[in-house]
Amino acid sequence: MWNTRNSETVWKKNSQLYVPLSFVEELGYSYHYNNYILTMQSPINASMKQVLYQGDLAAARELITSGRLPIPIPGNQSLRKPLDVKSDGERLDQEFLFPEGEALRFYHIYGDTISLIEFKQDFPVITWQAHGLSAATDDFHIVNDLLTFQLKDKWGNIPLKYANFAYYLRGGWGDSYLQVSAIIKANNSYHQTGRIYNVGGSVSDQSGTISYVIPDEKRIDTRSY
């Protein structure tokens, strides 16, 4: 697996493999050293794993989109060298598209870059990536580029064609914060289900209800951990 520090990370000496603790930190692990014993803690704790792998779809997706998990953007956990990301420096929007029935793989959009992220052995890993043709500042146009396969610089074969998606956006700029949820059908029709716009800690505009699921959706990707 590619990592931003791969060239300086792992080396072998006298049949022993050595990894610096800075690399462990970059992967999101915390560690404690005492009496010659090194203890490491995964960034995904037991309660998170319960929700992530066996919880209902809404709870699992809410956890993934919350920012509490080490989502690999710009790409320090990737099957191949990740693409450079261009973003609007004033906006911090992140968009998530979950295929119907799934939480453990999803499209993530940040700036002009679309990544397919999948959970592999407790790590969210980029397994496919592309740039959209639209500018990073064009609202929703990058999503449309993905849905219509108008892409460039991609590596790997595009997965998850012609699926229904649960869509969620979180982001903002300055003292504002925006959440949007929607349903995107396989025919690319878009139906917004909720929107909350918060400025300075107060809701200034709200419509519908934020939802992480499609009505009557059932989870199909639970796994043991």
Side-chain angles (χ1 to χ4, degrees):
M1 185 169 68
W2 194 92
N3 189 280
T4 53
R5 296 176 54 90
N6 268 352
S7 62
E8 55 181 295
T9 333
V10 180
W11 68 94
K12 189 175 182 180
K13 182 178 181 180
N14 298 328
S15 300
Q16 297 291 320
L17 198 64
Y18 293 86
V19 178
L21 287 177
S22 57
F23 175 66
V24 173
E25 284 184 307
E26 186 172 321
L27 291 177
Y29 280 82
S30 59
Y31 62 87
H32 177 70
Y33 185 74
N34 186 41
N35 292 329
Y36 303 101
I37 297 175
L38 179 68
T39 304
M40 294 189 296
Q41 175 64 50
S42 168
I44 303 178
N45 61 38
S47 61
M48 288 180 175
K49 289 179 183 179
Q50 170 66 33
V51 172
L52 187 62
Y53 296 127
Q54 297 184 345
D56 65 42
L57 274 176
R61 289 172 177 172
E62 185 174 9
L63 173 62
I64 290 167
T65 60
S66 68
R68 290 183 286 152
L69 297 181
I71 301 301
I73 297 298
N76 58 330
Q77 290 111 45
S78 177
L79 292 184
R80 289 174 53 178
K81 182 178 179 179
L83 299 176
D84 292 333
V85 177
K86 291 182 180 179
S87 62
D88 180 352
E90 296 182 0
R91 297 188 60 166
L92 302 173
D93 293 355
Q94 297 189 55
E95 297 168 275
F96 301 79
L97 285 83
F98 293 93
E100 186 171 7
E102 299 185 43
L104 299 180
R105 64 174 181 167
F106 55 92
Y107 285 118
H108 177 275
I109 299 175
Y110 181 69
D112 67 342
T113 305
I114 308 161
S115 305
L116 180 73
I117 298 176
E118 303 183 58
F119 281 87
K120 296 181 177 292
Q121 298 178 341
D122 288 351
F123 280 103
V125 178
I126 297 173
T127 59
W128 172 92
Q129 206 169 43
H131 284 142
L133 297 182
S134 302
T137 54
D138 291 343
D139 289 347
F140 201 71
H141 289 192
I142 299 290
V143 173
N144 189 65
D145 289 346
L146 169 62
L147 298 176
T148 57
F149 318 122
Q150 303 298 307
L151 306 167
K152 61 183 180 181
D153 307 326
K154 69 181 178 71
W155 53 263
N157 295 318
I158 187 169
L160 303 178
K161 283 189 175 184
Y162 313 115
N164 297 327
F165 292 100
Y167 170 87
Y168 177 77
L169 175 149
R170 66 174 173 87
W173 52 97
D175 65 348
S176 65
Y177 183 72
L178 175 66
Q179 294 183 80
V180 176
S181 65
I183 298 167
I184 301 174
K185 293 291 189 178
N187 63 3
N188 295 353
S189 64
Y190 173 89
H191 171 65
Q192 182 174 293
T193 55
R195 182 181 187 274
I196 301 175
Y197 183 51
N198 187 300
V199 179
S202 300
V203 174
S204 66
D205 182 47
Q206 182 173 359
S207 61
T209 302
I210 296 296
S211 175
Y212 297 89
V213 294
I214 300 169
D216 301 319
E217 187 179 8
K218 294 190 174 20
R219 186 167 186 180
I220 61 174
D221 69 342
T222 56
R223 67 172 69 159
S224 58
Y225 62 92

PDB file of all heavy atoms in Angstrom, residues 42-59:
ATOM      1  N   SER A  42      -5.395   1.462  18.068  1.00  0.00           N
ATOM      2  CA  SER A  42      -5.976   1.791  16.769  1.00  0.00           C
ATOM      3  C   SER A  42      -6.822   3.050  16.883  1.00  0.00           C
ATOM      4  O   SER A  42      -7.466   3.291  17.913  1.00  0.00           O
ATOM      5  CB  SER A  42      -6.847   0.630  16.279  1.00  0.00           C
ATOM      6  OG  SER A  42      -7.639   1.031  15.176  1.00  0.00           O
ATOM      7  N   PRO A  43      -6.852   3.886  15.820  1.00  0.00           N
ATOM      8  CA  PRO A  43      -7.717   5.069  15.846  1.00  0.00           C
ATOM      9  C   PRO A  43      -9.200   4.719  15.828  1.00  0.00           C
ATOM     10  O   PRO A  43     -10.040   5.567  16.107  1.00  0.00           O
ATOM     11  CB  PRO A  43      -7.321   5.825  14.574  1.00  0.00           C
ATOM     12  CG  PRO A  43      -6.752   4.776  13.673  1.00  0.00           C
ATOM     13  CD  PRO A  43      -6.072   3.801  14.588  1.00  0.00           C
ATOM     14  N   ILE A  44      -9.523   3.467  15.505  1.00  0.00           N
ATOM     15  CA  ILE A  44     -10.910   3.018  15.509  1.00  0.00           C
ATOM     16  C   ILE A  44     -11.096   2.105  16.723  1.00  0.00           C
ATOM     17  O   ILE A  44     -10.639   0.961  16.734  1.00  0.00           O
ATOM     18  CB  ILE A  44     -11.260   2.268  14.209  1.00  0.00           C
ATOM     19  CG1 ILE A  44     -10.982   3.165  12.999  1.00  0.00           C
ATOM     20  CG2 ILE A  44     -12.717   1.827  14.217  1.00  0.00           C
ATOM     21  CD1 ILE A  44     -11.250   2.507  11.668  1.00  0.00           C
ATOM     22  N   ASN A  45     -11.729   2.609  17.762  1.00  0.00           N
ATOM     23  CA  ASN A  45     -11.864   1.844  18.994  1.00  0.00           C
ATOM     24  C   ASN A  45     -13.000   0.819  18.885  1.00  0.00           C
ATOM     25  O   ASN A  45     -13.715   0.750  17.885  1.00  0.00           O
ATOM     26  CB  ASN A  45     -12.051   2.774  20.195  1.00  0.00           C
ATOM     27  CG  ASN A  45     -13.295   3.637  20.082  1.00  0.00           C
ATOM     28  OD1 ASN A  45     -14.337   3.197  19.598  1.00  0.00           O
ATOM     29  ND2 ASN A  45     -13.187   4.890  20.534  1.00  0.00           N
ATOM     30  N   ALA A  46     -13.181   0.054  19.942  1.00  0.00           N
ATOM     31  CA  ALA A  46     -14.144  -1.054  19.910  1.00  0.00           C
ATOM     32  C   ALA A  46     -15.573  -0.576  19.682  1.00  0.00           C
ATOM     33  O   ALA A  46     -16.331  -1.189  18.928  1.00  0.00           O
ATOM     34  CB  ALA A  46     -14.051  -1.857  21.207  1.00  0.00           C
ATOM     35  N   SER A  47     -15.963   0.525  20.315  1.00  0.00           N
ATOM     36  CA  SER A  47     -17.332   1.009  20.144  1.00  0.00           C
ATOM     37  C   SER A  47     -17.553   1.515  18.716  1.00  0.00           C
ATOM     38  O   SER A  47     -18.628   1.329  18.140  1.00  0.00           O
ATOM     39  CB  SER A  47     -17.637   2.117  21.156  1.00  0.00           C
ATOM     40  OG  SER A  47     -16.769   3.220  20.983  1.00  0.00           O
ATOM     41  N   MET A  48     -16.530   2.143  18.134  1.00  0.00           N
ATOM     42  CA  MET A  48     -16.632   2.577  16.742  1.00  0.00           C
ATOM     43  C   MET A  48     -16.757   1.377  15.802  1.00  0.00           C
ATOM     44  O   MET A  48     -17.537   1.400  14.846  1.00  0.00           O
ATOM     45  CB  MET A  48     -15.411   3.415  16.352  1.00  0.00           C
ATOM     46  CG  MET A  48     -15.363   4.798  16.958  1.00  0.00           C
ATOM     47  SD  MET A  48     -13.870   5.680  16.419  1.00  0.00           S
ATOM     48  CE  MET A  48     -14.160   7.297  17.142  1.00  0.00           C
ATOM     49  N   LYS A  49     -15.988   0.322  16.081  1.00  0.00           N
ATOM     50  CA  LYS A  49     -16.049  -0.877  15.232  1.00  0.00           C
ATOM     51  C   LYS A  49     -17.435  -1.512  15.277  1.00  0.00           C
ATOM     52  O   LYS A  49     -17.936  -1.994  14.263  1.00  0.00           O
ATOM     53  CB  LYS A  49     -14.993  -1.887  15.674  1.00  0.00           C
ATOM     54  CG  LYS A  49     -13.570  -1.475  15.353  1.00  0.00           C
ATOM     55  CD  LYS A  49     -12.574  -2.519  15.855  1.00  0.00           C
ATOM     56  CE  LYS A  49     -11.138  -2.079  15.603  1.00  0.00           C
ATOM     57  NZ  LYS A  49     -10.151  -3.063  16.102  1.00  0.00           N
ATOM     58  N   GLN A  50     -18.047  -1.507  16.448  1.00  0.00           N
ATOM     59  CA  GLN A  50     -19.387  -2.058  16.568  1.00  0.00           C
ATOM     60  C   GLN A  50     -20.357  -1.324  15.650  1.00  0.00           C
ATOM     61  O   GLN A  50     -21.147  -1.929  14.918  1.00  0.00           O
ATOM     62  CB  GLN A  50     -19.858  -1.962  18.019  1.00  0.00           C
ATOM     63  CG  GLN A  50     -21.325  -2.281  18.241  1.00  0.00           C
ATOM     64  CD  GLN A  50     -21.677  -3.726  17.947  1.00  0.00           C
ATOM     65  OE1 GLN A  50     -20.869  -4.621  18.166  1.00  0.00           O
ATOM     66  NE2 GLN A  50     -22.889  -3.969  17.432  1.00  0.00           N
ATOM     67  N   VAL A  51     -20.282   0.012  15.679  1.00  0.00           N
ATOM     68  CA  VAL A  51     -21.157   0.822  14.824  1.00  0.00           C
ATOM     69  C   VAL A  51     -20.781   0.647  13.359  1.00  0.00           C
ATOM     70  O   VAL A  51     -21.645   0.456  12.490  1.00  0.00           O
ATOM     71  CB  VAL A  51     -21.066   2.308  15.219  1.00  0.00           C
ATOM     72  CG1 VAL A  51     -21.820   3.177  14.225  1.00  0.00           C
ATOM     73  CG2 VAL A  51     -21.592   2.522  16.628  1.00  0.00           C
ATOM     74  N   LEU A  52     -19.484   0.694  13.073  1.00  0.00           N
ATOM     75  CA  LEU A  52     -19.007   0.667  11.697  1.00  0.00           C
ATOM     76  C   LEU A  52     -19.324  -0.648  11.001  1.00  0.00           C
ATOM     77  O   LEU A  52     -19.805  -0.657   9.859  1.00  0.00           O
ATOM     78  CB  LEU A  52     -17.498   0.904  11.698  1.00  0.00           C
ATOM     79  CG  LEU A  52     -16.809   1.069  10.351  1.00  0.00           C
ATOM     80  CD1 LEU A  52     -17.338   2.288   9.615  1.00  0.00           C
ATOM     81  CD2 LEU A  52     -15.298   1.172  10.545  1.00  0.00           C
ATOM     82  N   TYR A  53     -19.098  -1.752  11.671  1.00  0.00           N
ATOM     83  CA  TYR A  53     -19.203  -3.058  11.019  1.00  0.00           C
ATOM     84  C   TYR A  53     -20.544  -3.755  11.228  1.00  0.00           C
ATOM     85  O   TYR A  53     -20.932  -4.587  10.415  1.00  0.00           O
ATOM     86  CB  TYR A  53     -18.072  -3.974  11.503  1.00  0.00           C
ATOM     87  CG  TYR A  53     -16.706  -3.479  11.113  1.00  0.00           C
ATOM     88  CD1 TYR A  53     -15.702  -3.316  12.067  1.00  0.00           C
ATOM     89  CD2 TYR A  53     -16.413  -3.159   9.794  1.00  0.00           C
ATOM     90  CE1 TYR A  53     -14.442  -2.851  11.705  1.00  0.00           C
ATOM     91  CE2 TYR A  53     -15.165  -2.695   9.432  1.00  0.00           C
ATOM     92  CZ  TYR A  53     -14.179  -2.545  10.386  1.00  0.00           C
ATOM     93  OH  TYR A  53     -12.934  -2.085  10.030  1.00  0.00           O
ATOM     94  N   GLN A  54     -21.252  -3.422  12.318  1.00  0.00           N
ATOM     95  CA  GLN A  54     -22.482  -4.143  12.602  1.00  0.00           C
ATOM     96  C   GLN A  54     -23.663  -3.231  12.938  1.00  0.00           C
ATOM     97  O   GLN A  54     -24.782  -3.721  13.133  1.00  0.00           O
ATOM     98  CB  GLN A  54     -22.248  -5.141  13.750  1.00  0.00           C
ATOM     99  CG  GLN A  54     -21.215  -6.207  13.393  1.00  0.00           C
ATOM    100  CD  GLN A  54     -21.059  -7.255  14.475  1.00  0.00           C
ATOM    101  OE1 GLN A  54     -21.505  -7.079  15.608  1.00  0.00           O
ATOM    102  NE2 GLN A  54     -20.416  -8.356  14.122  1.00  0.00           N
ATOM    103  N   GLY A  55     -23.441  -1.931  12.985  1.00  0.00           N
ATOM    104  CA  GLY A  55     -24.526  -1.012  13.294  1.00  0.00           C
ATOM    105  C   GLY A  55     -25.453  -0.811  12.112  1.00  0.00           C
ATOM    106  O   GLY A  55     -25.204  -1.302  11.002  1.00  0.00           O
ATOM    107  N   ASP A  56     -26.540  -0.077  12.340  1.00  0.00           N
ATOM    108  CA  ASP A  56     -27.427   0.195  11.212  1.00  0.00           C
ATOM    109  C   ASP A  56     -26.772   1.203  10.274  1.00  0.00           C
ATOM    110  O   ASP A  56     -25.801   1.867  10.623  1.00  0.00           O
ATOM    111  CB  ASP A  56     -28.816   0.645  11.679  1.00  0.00           C
ATOM    112  CG  ASP A  56     -28.806   1.973  12.419  1.00  0.00           C
ATOM    113  OD1 ASP A  56     -28.097   2.902  11.994  1.00  0.00           O
ATOM    114  OD2 ASP A  56     -29.527   2.070  13.417  1.00  0.00           O
ATOM    115  N   LEU A  57     -27.305   1.310   9.075  1.00  0.00           N
ATOM    116  CA  LEU A  57     -26.692   2.141   8.042  1.00  0.00           C
ATOM    117  C   LEU A  57     -26.554   3.593   8.467  1.00  0.00           C
ATOM    118  O   LEU A  57     -25.512   4.225   8.255  1.00  0.00           O
ATOM    119  CB  LEU A  57     -27.506   2.057   6.750  1.00  0.00           C
ATOM    120  CG  LEU A  57     -27.193   0.903   5.799  1.00  0.00           C
ATOM    121  CD1 LEU A  57     -28.164   0.933   4.625  1.00  0.00           C
ATOM    122  CD2 LEU A  57     -25.762   0.977   5.304  1.00  0.00           C
ATOM    123  N   ALA A  58     -27.605   4.141   9.037  1.00  0.00           N
ATOM    124  CA  ALA A  58     -27.570   5.555   9.410  1.00  0.00           C
ATOM    125  C   ALA A  58     -26.453   5.826  10.409  1.00  0.00           C
ATOM    126  O   ALA A  58     -25.692   6.794  10.265  1.00  0.00           O
ATOM    127  CB  ALA A  58     -28.914   5.977   9.986  1.00  0.00           C
ATOM    128  N   ALA A  59     -26.326   4.967  11.428  1.00  0.00           N
ATOM    129  CA  ALA A  59     -25.295   5.165  12.451  1.00  0.00           C
ATOM    130  C   ALA A  59     -23.898   5.007  11.875  1.00  0.00           C
ATOM    131  O   ALA A  59     -22.981   5.781  12.186  1.00  0.00           O
ATOM    132  CB  ALA A  59     -25.512   4.188  13.604  1.00  0.00           C
TER     133      ALA A  59
END
